[in-house]
């Protein structure tokens, strides 16, 4: 992704995940993984410590 501030990148990914039917959340305690949850039932869909991997998963 381009060199936008980190918070902008996070907001952009949250919006993307939401429009695809997911919730993107970050674990409050270490290792602070990013997790995609199904927006309807809260079921875990994909988890990674790296936003780039979340982005790649959304690209598929």
């Amino acid at each position: 992704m381009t060199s936008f501030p980190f918070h902008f990148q996070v907001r952009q990914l949250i919006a993307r995940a939401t429009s695809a039917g997911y919730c993107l959340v970050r674990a409050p305690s270490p290792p602070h993984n990013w997790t995609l949850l199904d927006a309807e039932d809260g079921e875990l869909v994909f988890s990674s410590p790296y936003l780039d991997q979340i982005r790649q998963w959304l690209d598929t």
Side-chain angles (χ1 to χ4, degrees):
M1 186 167 234
T2 59
S3 60
F4 291 109
F6 181 73
H7 69 278
F8 179 79
Q9 293 178 32
V10 171
R11 287 185 192 162
Q12 191 175 40
L13 263 183
I14 289 171
R16 220 176 125 192
T18 300
S19 69
Y22 305 107
C23 280
L24 178 61
V25 296
R26 187 172 186 216
S29 57
H32 301 291
N33 280 354
W34 292 95
T35 303
L36 283 173
L37 303 172
D38 185 283
E40 287 187 26
D41 61 16
E43 181 104 13
L44 182 126
V45 177
F46 182 77
S47 184
S48 172
Y50 306 107
L51 279 178
D52 283 339
Q53 290 179 342
I54 298 289
R55 186 177 300 107
Q56 289 172 356
W57 192 92
L58 288 169
D59 285 343
T60 60

